[in-house]
Amino acid sequence: MKARKLLLPLLLILAVMSVCLAVFGPRFLKQRTDGKHHNNDIDSNFSLKNSRYTPALTLTDMPEFPPLLTDIPNIFYTVNPKNGDVSFFEYSPTGLNPYGGEVFSVEKTVTCSHQDIPVTLSYIEKDGKVAGYGLYTSDLTGTPGRIYPYALFKLTALPPGYGKQGALLLIDFDKKDFWQNDRLYTEAFIIGLKGSSLKTQRFTTNNSRTVDETGAFRSDWTLFTDYFLKSTGSTGYFLSSRDYNLDQKGLVADILSPSDLKPPRVVTGILGLWAGVTPKGLTYLRPSSTGFDLYVFADKKERLVKSFDGDYRADYLAQGDYVLNKKTLMLTNLITGEEKLLKDINISGAAFLSVSPDGSRAVIASPGGGENPGKTKQSLIFYNLEDESFKSFAEPLLFSVSNPNFGWAQGKTLFHLRPARDDGTGLAYCFIDLSALDS
């Protein structure tokens, strides 16, 4: 009798719990899943027509070839992969319009690994800057490329430390980076423009340069990034991994000064290819037992500036002057030392960081983990570093994962590439004024 009296309340409790689980369980589980695996969500009903992000854009279009940034503010370019034609465009909030200034052309031939590589360079000059590009493929010339079947050329103004006359010609031989804005250039020449009598010359000597398994000169002899070139000024430094194993290219490097005979090593064993020249001296990173350290080199002395915990490549996002710790959400300016804690955001799956030139806005992009790009949710977080507010979007096809090309146009206007179709194919360009999101 007592057993029956105890059993009846117990059954009633179990019944109530079952009802609660049926009603609230799915919602609870969904919230747990959304908070923990947000970037792996599948949106089976999504299409670009019902995108919440598209109406926020200042400008978007799908041209025949996606535009890329030049070193000149608000100037973009395209390269036709079929015939090598280069076109220039200028951004305004009303459109990306054909460049109205004069476009120059020059024919050059350079020799790399004993292969003569001809190229037609198209370039412009504006506000004391030079921006030019050219494409070589064996198909375009009709001649087999014994060592290099492909080469993308970039022409830029010669930094004062690299010489007194001419322009700097850089070459990237990695075809998979054709649609990338940031490239690693592994050959460099100084050339003359506009009828100059200056003969084409190598940036630095090939003395003692060995070859790799393909028969080409090793590709880590000279390493140039756009970021490093912008800061060199009158110093003339360049990066090289020549004294390390070939599989360490770009993972560890030395900073050298140009020389006709043997370029002297200024700093050895830096972490990766991040380095810059500042008024305080040469700035770079080194690995440490617990993470990595920031150093400044001046007056032949190395000074430790700051230490960071964690793996540089796994635990941080890096772009330009900045590193962002994905665990602590601390954003650090490596040049000024300024720190900013990003509050109330989840960036565990983030893969890309971009900070505006004035340091007022940060963009953090997470690609998601699904196999169907047209249905897998990505995320974009636009963080206002001035008032600590942010705006976020979470839906498929926000940006191209393989070549997002985040960069900046006028003021706080972000540029990037995005899939153009619902199945994730094609490339459209996007401009978004982040100041308009503040309201």
Side-chain angles (χ1 to χ4, degrees):
M1 192 71 178
K2 290 182 179 180
R4 290 183 179 179
K5 290 181 179 180
L6 291 172
L7 182 60
L8 184 58
L10 180 60
L11 290 174
L12 288 173
I13 292 172
L14 290 173
V16 171
M17 290 177 63
S18 298
V19 172
C20 291
L21 182 62
V23 173
F24 299 106
R27 185 182 305 173
F28 173 76
L29 290 174
K30 183 177 186 303
Q31 290 173 346
R32 295 278 293 183
T33 302
D34 286 350
K36 194 171 183 179
H37 302 288
H38 178 75
N39 289 332
N40 291 328
D41 287 351
I42 301 298
D43 188 343
S44 58
N45 297 318
F46 177 81
S47 71
L48 288 170
K49 290 182 179 179
N50 58 31
S51 166
R52 190 170 69 92
Y53 181 57
T54 300
L57 296 174
T58 307
L59 182 68
T60 184
D61 195 7
M62 185 184 69
E64 184 178 8
F65 308 111
L68 303 174
L69 289 152
T70 72
D71 293 334
I72 303 176
N74 298 318
I75 301 297
F76 294 75
Y77 75 99
T78 62
V79 180
N80 185 332
K82 297 179 181 178
N83 58 23
D85 286 350
V86 177
S87 301
F88 293 93
F89 302 87
E90 188 161 11
Y91 168 79
S92 73
T94 60
L96 195 60
N97 305 308
Y99 176 67
E102 186 174 2
V103 178
F104 306 96
S105 180
V106 62
E107 305 281 341
K108 293 291 178 181
T109 297
V110 297
T111 303
C112 301
S113 297
H114 306 296
Q115 177 183 331
D116 292 335
I117 305 177
V119 64
T120 299
L121 298 168
S122 298
Y123 67 97
I124 64 174
E125 296 179 339
K126 189 174 188 290
D127 300 329
K129 297 183 178 182
V130 177
Y133 303 89
L135 175 67
Y136 161 84
T137 69
S138 53
D139 291 337
L140 287 177
T141 61
T143 58
R146 301 188 312 275
I147 300 294
Y148 304 112
Y150 164 92
L152 195 285
F153 291 78
K154 173 179 177 174
L155 183 67
T156 188
L158 187 69
Y162 290 173
K164 296 181 179 180
Q165 58 177 329
L168 183 65
L169 183 62
L170 303 165
I171 311 176
D172 172 27
F173 296 106
D174 195 341
K175 190 174 182 179
K176 69 177 177 57
D177 289 341
F178 183 75
W179 298 119
Q180 295 287 350
N181 208 78
D182 292 324
R183 303 186 182 94
L184 177 60
Y185 300 96
T186 56
E187 291 283 2
F189 295 84
I190 297 174
I191 67 171
L193 299 177
K194 288 185 177 179
S196 169
S197 60
L198 181 67
K199 293 184 178 180
T200 298
Q201 55 187 286
R202 300 195 63 82
F203 171 78
T204 188
T205 177
N206 269 343
N207 291 343
S208 303
R209 187 175 183 179
T210 56
V211 298
D212 62 21
E213 66 277 3
T214 69
F217 280 136
R218 59 184 296 166
S219 61
D220 55 3
W221 195 249
T222 55
L223 301 172
F224 294 89
T225 67
D226 292 315
Y227 176 81
F228 187 72
L229 278 171
K230 290 176 182 177
S231 73
T232 53
S234 60
T235 59
Y237 297 131
F238 69 97
L239 302 167
S240 175
S241 295
R242 63 180 68 185
D243 285 337
Y244 306 93
N245 293 336
L246 282 168
D247 61 359
Q248 294 295 296
K249 172 183 174 182
L251 302 178
V252 59
D254 297 339
I255 303 175
L256 285 69
S257 287
S259 172
D260 292 336
L261 296 177
K262 187 177 181 180
R265 288 151 184 78
V266 180
V267 175
T268 60
I270 72 170
L271 174 63
L273 295 175
W274 187 88
V277 182
T278 73
K280 296 180 180 179
L282 189 55
T283 307
Y284 49 89
L285 303 174
R286 284 195 188 282
S288 70
S289 59
T290 58
F292 58 97
D293 296 327
L294 173 67
Y295 285 90
V296 168
F297 182 86
D299 299 325
K300 299 183 179 180
K301 294 181 180 179
E302 186 176 71
R303 177 173 61 88
L304 175 64
V305 177
K306 184 176 179 59
S307 295
F308 296 84
D309 292 328
D311 186 281
Y312 175 70
R313 294 179 175 84
D315 300 330
Y316 288 80
L317 298 176
Q319 180 262 331
D321 295 346
Y322 296 87
V323 291
L324 174 62
N325 188 315
K326 292 192 286 185
K327 296 179 179 180
T328 66
L329 301 183
M330 183 65 74
L331 179 70
T332 304
N333 186 315
L334 296 173
I335 302 301
T336 66
E338 182 182 0
E339 294 182 333
K340 188 74 174 182
L341 182 64
L342 308 190
K343 301 176 181 178
D344 302 323
I345 60 173
N346 178 6
I347 65 167
S348 58
F352 305 101
L353 167 72
S354 188
V355 180
S356 62
D358 65 1
S360 68
R361 301 293 188 277
V363 180
I364 305 159
S366 302
E371 296 180 359
N372 186 342
K375 302 302 178 183
T376 303
K377 279 188 180 180
Q378 301 175 328
S379 74
L380 279 175
I381 299 175
F382 302 116
Y383 201 97
N384 186 325
L385 297 169
E386 296 175 319
D387 65 12
E388 299 182 348
S389 64
F390 66 91
K391 179 80 171 181
S392 62
F393 295 86
E395 63 186 31
L397 306 179
L398 287 172
F399 61 92
S400 168
V401 176
S402 58
N403 43 6
N405 292 340
F406 291 109
W408 299 87
Q410 291 176 348
K412 299 173 179 60
T413 299
L414 177 76
F415 164 83
H416 69 88
L417 298 181
R418 179 189 193 187
R421 305 181 187 92
D422 287 347
D423 61 359
T425 61
L427 285 172
Y429 68 76
C430 303
F431 292 88
I432 180 169
D433 182 359
L434 299 193
S435 61
L437 298 179
D438 296 341
S439 55

